[in-house]
C-alpha cells in the first residue's frame, strides 16, 4: 500500500477556465485515460468529474469543471456553482487558457476571482501546437505580468506536449498526505454516467446550433447477459423540441444510427465487451429550467 510509504504526497487540483480552452482534454491527457468527454461545443462538461493520477510517490486528484461563464438557465446556474465550489476546496488551481493572443473579458473575470483565492495557482497555456515560439513568448510575458501565478506551463493537451513537465510542477505543490482513492481507481464516475456521457459526446459531434445544449441522456437499463459477454444498454435521449428530435433521428433514421454506432464502438473498447445499444429520442420542453428534470438527469447534488 502506497499510503504507508514514507514521503507519500497527495492533493487536489481543480481545473478551471472558460469553456473550450481544453480543460477536459488536458485532464484526460494527464491521467492517460478518457474520463471526461470533449467536444468543440461549449457546455460539454456539466458536472464535476474527478480523474486520479497515481505514481509511486504521489496521488493527484484532478477535478474537471464545467467552465466559468454566465448562466442562461437553471442548468447553467448549477454548472457555475459546481465550478466555484471546486475552486474553494482545493490545494491547487490549475487555470487553463488557450492560444488567444489577448486576455478577454471572460478570462479577466476569472483572474479577478483568483486574486482572492488562497490556493496555489498554476497557469497552463494550452493549444501551443497552434503557436509559434515567438507568439508563445509573448503570451508567457503577458500572463507573467499579472503576478498571481506560482508557475506558468505551456502545454498541448491534444498532443501531450509538456504533460510530464506539468506533472512535475504540480508535484512541487503536493503535500504529505494519504491515498484518497485506491491506486487502481482512475475516476469516481459511475460506469452508467460514463456510458451516458459517451452517448452525449457523440450527439454533440453530430449536432450543432442550439441542439447540443438541450440534450440529456438517461440510461434506462444496463445489464450484462448471464451466459454471454454482452452488455445490453437502453438509453433515452432527451431534447427540447419536436424539431430537434427530427434532426437527431435524421432522414430514415440515418443520424441516430451513426450516433449509436459511434457510441457503441467506443463503449465496446472502454468496457471491453460486446454491446447492444438501443437509443430512444424523447422531447422534454425547457427541461434545463425545470429543477426536477435537471435533478433526474444527474445534475444536482
Ligand atoms: P473544455 O470545454 O475546456 O473542457 O474543452 P475541451 O477539452 O472539450 O476541448 C475543446 C476543444 O479544444 C476540442 O475540440 C479539443 O479537441 C480542442 N483542444 C483541446 N486541447 C487542444 C490542444 O492542445 N490543441 C488544439 N489544437 N486543440 C485542443
Ligand atoms: K468543450
Ligand atoms: Mg470540459
Amino acid at each position: 500500500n502506497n499510503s504507508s510509504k514514507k514521503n507519500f504526497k497527495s492533493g487536489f487540483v481543480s481545473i478551471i477556465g472558460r469553456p473550450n480552452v481544453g480543460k477536459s482534454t488536458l485532464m484526460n491527457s494527464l491521467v492517460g485515460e478518457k474520463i471526461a468527454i470533449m467536444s468543440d461545443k461549449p457546455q460539454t462538461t456539466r458536472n464535476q468529474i474527478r480523474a486520479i493520477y497515481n505514481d509511486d510517490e504521489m496521488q493527484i486528484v484532478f477535478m474537471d469543471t464545467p467552465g466559468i461563464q454566465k448562466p442562461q438557465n437553471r442548468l447553467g446556474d448549477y454548472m457555475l456553482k459546481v465550478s466555484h465550489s471546486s475552486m474553494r476546496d482545493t490545494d491547487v488551481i490549475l487555470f487553463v487558457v488557450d492560444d488567444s493572443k489577448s486576455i478577454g473579458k471572460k478570462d479577466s473575470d476569472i483572474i479577478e476571482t483568483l486574486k482572492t483565492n488562497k490556493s496555489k495557482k498554476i497557469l497552463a497555456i494550452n493549444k501551443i501546437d497552434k503557436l509559434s515560439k515567438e507568439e508563445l513568448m509573448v503570451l508567457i510575458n503577458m500572463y507573467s505580468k499579472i503576478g498571481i501565478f506560482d508557475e506558468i506551463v505551456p502545454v498541448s493537451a491534444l498532443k501531450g506536449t509538456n504533460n510530464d513537465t506539468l506533472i512535475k510542477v504540480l508535484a512541487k505543490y503536493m503535500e504529505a498526505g494519504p491515498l484518497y482513492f485506491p491506486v487502481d481507481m482512475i475516476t469516481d464516475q459511475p460506469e452508467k454516467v460514463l456510458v451516458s456521457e459517451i452517448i452525449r459526446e457523440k450527439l454533440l459531434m453530430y449536432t450543432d446550433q442550439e441542439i447540443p445544449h438541450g440534450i440529456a441522456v438517461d440510461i434506462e437499463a444496463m445489464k450484462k447477459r448471464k451466459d454471454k459477454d454482452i452488455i445490453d444498454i437502453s438509453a433515452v435521449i432527451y431534447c427540447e423540441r419536436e424539431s430537434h428530435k427530427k434532426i437527431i433521428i435524421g432522414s430514415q433514421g440515418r443520424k441516430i444510427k451513426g450516433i449509436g454506432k459511434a457510441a457503441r464502438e467506443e463503449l465496446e473498447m472502454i468496457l471491453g465487451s460486446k454491446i447492444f445499444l438501443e437509443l430512444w429520442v424523447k422531447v422534454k420542453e425547457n427541461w434545463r429550467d425545470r429543477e426536477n428534470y435537471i435533478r433526474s438527469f444527474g445534475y444536482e447534488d
Side-chain angles (χ1 to χ4, degrees), residues 238-253:
Y238 289 96
C239 61
E240 292 194 310
R241 285 170 211 285
E242 210 53 56
S243 60
H244 292 179
K245 177 175 167 175
K246 275 214 186 85
I247 293 170
I248 293 168
I249 292 172
S251 99
Q252 293 171 328

Side-chain angles (χ1 to χ4, degrees), residues 20 22-25 36-38 44-45 64-67:
N20 267 359
K23 296 178 295 298
S24 298
T25 309
I37 61 168
M38 305 160 280
T44 301
T45 309
D64 190 10
T65 62

